[in-house]
Amino acid sequence: MSDHGHHEEGHHGHDDHGHHAHHETFISKYIFSQDHKMIGKQFLITAIIMAVIGMGMSIIFRLQLAWPGEKFAFSNFFLGDKWAPDGLLDPNMYLALVTIHGTIIVFFVLTGGLSGTFSNLLIPYQLGARDMASGLLNMISYWLFFISSCIMIASCFVETGPASAGWTIYPPLSAIPTAIPGSGLGMTLWLVSMSIFIASSLLGSLNYIVTVFNLRTKGMTMTRMPLTIWCFLITAILGVLSFPVLLSCCLLLMFDRSFGTAFYLSDIFFSGVPLEATGGSPLLFEHLFWFLGHPEVYIILLPALGLISEVISTNSRKPIFGYRAMIVSVLAIAFLSFIVWGHHMFMTGMNPFLGTVFTFTTLLIAIPSAIKVFNYLATIWKGNLRLSPAMMYALGMVSLFISGGLTGLILGDSALDINIHDTYFVVGHFHIVMGAGAIFGMFAGVYHWFPRMYGRMMMPKLGYLHFWMTIVGVYGVFFPMHFLGLAGVPRRYFSNEEYELFKDVQHINVIITGFAIMAAIGQFVFIFNFFYSIFKGRKSTQNPWESNTLEWTAPIERIHGNWPNAIPEVHRWPYDYSKPGYEEDFVPQSVPLKEGESEGH
Amino acid sequence: MALLIFITVVLVVVAIAKIMRSHELATKLNGDQEDFVSLSEIKTQGFLYVLFGVILFTLIGVQMYAWGKYILPSSASVHGDEIDNLFDVTMNLILVTFFITHTVMFAFIYKYYQKKGQKAFWFPHNNKLEMAWTIIPAIVLLSLITYGLSTWSDVMYQESTKDSVKLEVVAEQFKWTVRYSGKDRELGKVNFSTITGSNALGIMTAASVDSSLVDTRKQIAGLERSVKELDSLVEHGWSGKEDELSDAESKLSAFKANERRLLKFQKEHAKDAAYYRGSEDDVIVRDTLYLAKDRMAEFTFRSKDVLHSAYFPHFRAQMNCVPGQKTYFTFTPKYTSEEMKEVAASEGKNFVLFELVCNKICGASHYKMRFPIVVLSQKDFDARVATYKTFGDEFAGK
Ligand code: HEM
Ligand SMILES: [Cu+2]
Ligand SMILES: [Cu+2]
């Protein structure tokens, strides 16, 4: 296929000496690797393992929600006789599963896994760099991630169970060790794990930022960067600005738990004792948590949007519509995401005037979000859509982003949030827009860049099967939840059985669980496809998707330094697809402009 | 059993994979070398996407038809009507946007999936279009914001009426208690330091402060004894008592702090009858939340231990209960419980009783933390509340 570009000898003098012949041992190549590609794969595989665990947990609690009081050998098999005697789930364990499920998916899969995989893989490749700015920090970032994953999993095996105060771990529930069994050792481990995770994330983000600003190849100006890189960059900046706040939030909680301070505690009478700690406020925790928490949802979403921007443009054989508008909207979203956190707190007793302010800023976010959606639709208009599995997922994500973003308009309106805050409506909203949305972006990325990672292709037929099982599952699981929410069903309930009020809607829970099981089975199709294709997949060509970005000018073999000779130089933006005046429907960034050709975008 | 299912699933997946793989090898032999996804495959998927769209739309319609009746009946509070209107307006807007954007997307997928000889149109940007879809959403959203915020301020800043009911809802793991202000329409002061077995809400009267002090000193004496005992056990090398000891020590220190607070109250307010005003005639109700139709209920919320949230789904009302802080919400019930049955029935909806449910994760029995609500006519309400003893009488054992 294409060998535009990489045969061209670039101007020497940029960074042509980065490629050394290393003597690599198994350990330095696969374990303590400092190579961005290997680290990306390490993140990906760790994330897949974490995702399977998180998904398994969700099946256990979905079984309970659909058939409360039934006994499930499945639950007993995984949880043992202590937490699921005879297969009957324990209410404390229910909350623990919900908590760890949320934590794993939000932080370990969609933050660490998603950014870790694709920022590492693509930033050096797409910018024309030999590696990340600091390979060592990058390696440390992965290993901290790995350690924090292990601690989080280990916390599930302590006697009193893992943290169970919800993924948002609001104190005092999380601060008083006896308030719920999971607030004992399990909570301590959660906090330790998350602190290490934050360190990992910060090291990673700093590295991404430095790399993007310093290691772009000749000609790669900021406005010639693929949107993927823009999104990774802005995500990293969001992370650097907000994760430290979560760290301080966790540290203060540790102090309250262990050293008798009272940042979050006041006037508490618990099991017969008026606690000594007074003068703090749980609202302080909520503010600190959501100051990270809301940017966090965009830390999750933006990389996924970046990936699909690239996938949609390449597979539409058409430039992304409104490249600059896309950048500006991502910047606007990132900026606004720092001043909307209060929309999680409308009903906390915060001054209603603040509710007014946060409603205003929150609904403003919908404007750049809408621009992005319209631009995606304009991109596929009159395209030549190659519906590869990656493209299927990318389009699926656009659908989910629309569906979930729209319900955000209801939640963001403080007056409407009064009655649906903390109900299943919220659960439906964020699973569609963030959970499934970002997972779809991640899948799009995996199917699209798999040949770049392993030099082989994944099987498209299985990819389609996986896609259909997943999207049907996602809509089947999360759409009905909106109806539950509007019927007033609160989230984080072990069972609704006792309520006359919720008797009628119980069958909806059964339907949801059915779809959840189907979607979960569908993921095994992916896992099989993934691991099978690593070893046995069809051999890829150098540029299998006929793409413009630089990663496809590097040889199929993943070598140290990425390009055997000079690093390619960049002469144009990455979206010259179907450009008039060219025979082929793509013009890689490394191809110089023709005489009289304008860059025109 | 679980294992068996698991193995079956894995086998099925492997089998499907094998079949596909051999199919792929076959296509490869047919000379379809270059394309990693074939045009015929793309055609199928384009078709499937549209089929999916049709099914999605249909099922959404079916859900709205079949499950619409489970959505809460129309608001049982006055302000709730405003919220319901806002909700309907927003929801309609959302549905329209959802259907239009999705239709456009499915149509484009169907129309432009890759075909032989089809060429994409070079269309990198268009300022007019981009302007249009920045400005139109901006206008729509600004109108929504304006409408939403005027509703919000109507709901959150309700002027108190002369005959309003002032009451407090106190949350603790895993139950609710209600306190009415009594005749003086003023809720007496509370403090967690004065909580004892006979004063679960920590209401402050001169008598309750005194009795809490007695209670606290009793606790201190007991704890001092056990600390001494445990201390000597530990000193003599008993293992496994350290935790108990440190537990007792921290309790002791907590009760000593409590003693100091109570002494301070006594010192500052012993002769200050005005300070304790309002407490004596408060009325505590432990089994049901009674409200009066058309009489504004001004709620104060409080928690004794962890966060809870008082959620009144039928009344479109919710407020968190926060330890160390009071929170507020006000609403006016529109129908008595009896009338609500008819209202719901006329909408084809099921209604059994009003309920207050906990809506903030608070522990293992969070899902059982509920409280029945009964709305009575004003006359019945007054009569009903009058059957309860005042706190002053209750505390004095009268
Ligand atoms: C138009 C855009 C959006 C608006 C206006 C919006 C609004 C809101 C609001 C107000 C809440 C709080 C609801 C409540 O607790 O009662 C919420 C919850 C949430 N949203 Fe969004 N949202 C939007 C888009 C997103 C996106 C893009 C993501 C993720 C990528 C996201 C993720 C979440 C999550 C995770 C929660 C739940 C947190 C929790 O309580 O556990 N939202 N959203
Ligand atoms: Cu948010
Ligand atoms: Cu509660």
Side-chain angles (χ1 to χ4, degrees), chain A residues 179 269 276 317 322 347 352 382 384-385 392 396 399 418-419 421-422 461 468 490 493 499 504 528 538, chain B residues 17 20 23 33 41 45 49 102 112 114 118 120-121 124 152 253 304 311 316 318 320 358-360 367:
Chain A
F269 187 88
E276 196 174 353
R317 317 309 295 155
M347 293 297 119
K382 286 201 176 182
N384 190 19
L385 314 183
M392 299 293 275
S399 161
I418 294 171
N419 212 50
H421 172 61
D422 266 342
K461 286 228 162 57
W468 288 117
Y493 268 25
Y499 292 81
D504 296 342
F528 173 81
R538 186 173 161 190
Chain B
M20 300 223 165
H23 179 83
Q33 290 272 359
E41 205 136 45
Q45 297 304 321
Y49 232 120
H102 272 79
Y112 301 115
Q114 203 169 41
Q118 177 173 278
F121 173 53
W152 172 249
S253 129
K304 282 166 65 176
Y311 178 34
R316 315 292 188 258
Q318 174 161 215
N320 285 5
C358 181
N359 201 17
K360 186 65 75 190
Y367 71 106

Side-chain angles (χ1 to χ4, degrees), chain A residues 1 92 95 164-166 170-173 179 266-270 272 274 276 278 282 286 317-322 325 347-349 352-353 356 359-360 363 366-367 371 374-375 377 380-387 392 395-396 399 402-403 406 409-410 413-416 418-419 421-423 457 459-462 464 467-468 479-480 483 486-488 490 492-495 498-501 504-505 507-508 511 528 536 538 541 544 576-580, chain B residues 2-3 17-18 20-21 23-24 28 32-37 41-42 45-46 48-49 52 56 60 63-64 67 70-72 83 86-87 90-91 94 98 101-102 105 108-109 112-115 118 120-126 130 133-134 138 141 145 148-149 151-152 155-157 173 192 195 251 253-255 257-258 304-307 311 313-314 316-320 322-325 327 350 352 355 357-364 366-368 370:
Chain A
M1 310 206 103
N92 283 308
L95 294 177
S164 355
Y170 282 178
L173 187 61
S266 192
D267 295 24
I268 293 170
F269 187 88
F270 191 80
E276 196 174 353
T278 58
E286 296 177 42
R317 317 309 295 155
K318 214 170 154 274
I320 193 86
F321 182 84
M347 293 297 119
T348 52
F353 176 69
T356 307
T359 296
F360 186 76
L363 294 196
I367 299 173
I371 295 175
F374 292 135
N375 283 359
L377 294 179
I380 64 172
W381 177 65
K382 286 201 176 182
N384 190 19
L385 314 183
R386 185 206 292 128
L387 298 175
M392 299 293 275
L395 295 168
S399 161
I402 298 172
S403 314
L406 285 173
L409 295 186
I410 293 191
D413 204 328
S414 47
L416 297 178
I418 294 171
N419 212 50
H421 172 61
D422 266 342
T423 66
M457 309 297 286
M459 291 174 269
K461 286 228 162 57
L462 286 186
Y464 292 129
F467 170 74
W468 288 117
F479 204 89
F483 289 91
L486 295 178
R492 292 167 174 163
Y493 268 25
F494 170 66
S495 133
E498 313 217 340
Y499 292 81
E500 199 62 44
L501 183 56
D504 296 342
V505 291
H507 70 281
I508 299 181
I511 293 172
F528 173 81
K536 295 274 175 75
R538 186 173 161 190
T541 53
D576 276 343
Y577 290 105
S578 304
K579 191 169 189 186
Chain B
L3 206 61
K18 283 282 171 206
M20 300 223 165
R21 175 79 186 146
H23 179 83
E24 233 160 66
K28 202 170 147 190
D32 216 1
Q33 290 272 359
E34 282 296 275
D35 295 317
F36 290 103
V37 285
E41 205 136 45
I42 288 173
Q45 297 304 321
L48 283 178
Y49 232 120
F52 170 73
L56 180 68
I60 288 175
Q63 286 178 39
M64 294 201 295
W67 295 341
Y70 304 134
I71 295 176
L72 290 164
I83 291 183
L86 177 64
F87 183 85
T90 315
M91 199 53 165
I94 285 177
F98 174 85
T101 45
H102 272 79
M105 187 176 104
F108 286 177
I109 293 175
Y112 301 115
Y113 66 76
Q114 203 169 41
K115 303 169 193 82
Q118 177 173 278
F121 173 53
W122 172 258
F123 188 51
H125 70 124
N126 177 315
E130 286 168 66
W133 60 54
T134 308
L141 284 165
I145 292 174
L149 289 182
T151 308
W152 172 249
V155 175
M156 300 309 281
Y157 300 101
Q173 278 185 342
F192 81 113
I195 296 177
K251 271 189 193 160
S253 129
F255 276 105
N258 211 47
K304 282 166 65 176
D305 41 38
V306 300
L307 290 174
Y311 178 34
H314 297 100
R316 315 292 188 258
Q318 174 161 215
M319 186 47 70
N320 285 5
V322 185
Q325 185 186 336
T327 55
N350 198 1
V352 182
E355 273 195 270
V357 297
C358 181
N359 201 17
K360 186 65 75 190
I361 180 172
C362 63
H366 168 52
Y367 71 106
K368 288 194 270 196
R370 59 203 291 219

Side-chain angles (χ1 to χ4, degrees), chain A residues 123-272:
Chain A
I123 289 179
Y125 261 141
Q126 292 196 330
L127 289 180
R130 299 261 180 223
D131 205 321
M132 282 289 175
S134 166
L136 179 67
L137 285 189
N138 212 16
M139 178 186 88
I140 296 175
S141 161
Y142 171 73
W143 283 103
L144 289 179
F145 175 69
F146 181 81
I147 292 169
S148 70
S149 305
C150 291
I151 295 176
M152 191 56 77
I153 300 298
S155 81
C156 297
F157 295 95
V158 303
E159 196 183 341
T160 45
S164 355
W167 79 280
T168 52
I169 56 154
Y170 282 178
L173 187 61
S174 59
I176 304 173
T178 44
I180 186 169
S183 289
L185 182 58
M187 193 67 224
T188 306
L189 290 175
W190 193 98
L191 291 167
V192 170
S193 166
M194 276 313 295
S195 305
I196 298 174
F197 177 89
I198 292 168
S200 152
S201 165
L202 288 175
L203 290 182
S205 300
L206 287 171
N207 221 341
Y208 306 149
I209 295 171
V210 172
T211 308
V212 172
F213 283 126
N214 292 311
L215 296 185
R216 302 194 307 278
T217 186
K218 190 156 182 228
M220 180 65 84
T221 56
M222 292 302 272
T223 48
R224 279 183 184 161
M225 293 198 312
L227 286 175
T228 30
I229 305 297
W230 268 106
C231 289
F232 296 152
L233 171 66
I234 294 169
T235 302
I237 295 173
L238 284 182
V240 168
L241 294 178
S242 64
F243 267 117
V245 179
L246 181 65
L247 183 62
S248 59
C249 173
C250 288
L251 285 178
L252 297 187
L253 182 55
M254 285 186 198
F255 290 168
D256 274 9
R257 286 169 55 79
S258 309
F259 306 122
T261 56
F263 292 104
Y264 307 134
L265 306 177
S266 192
D267 295 24
I268 293 170
F269 187 88
F270 191 80
S271 69

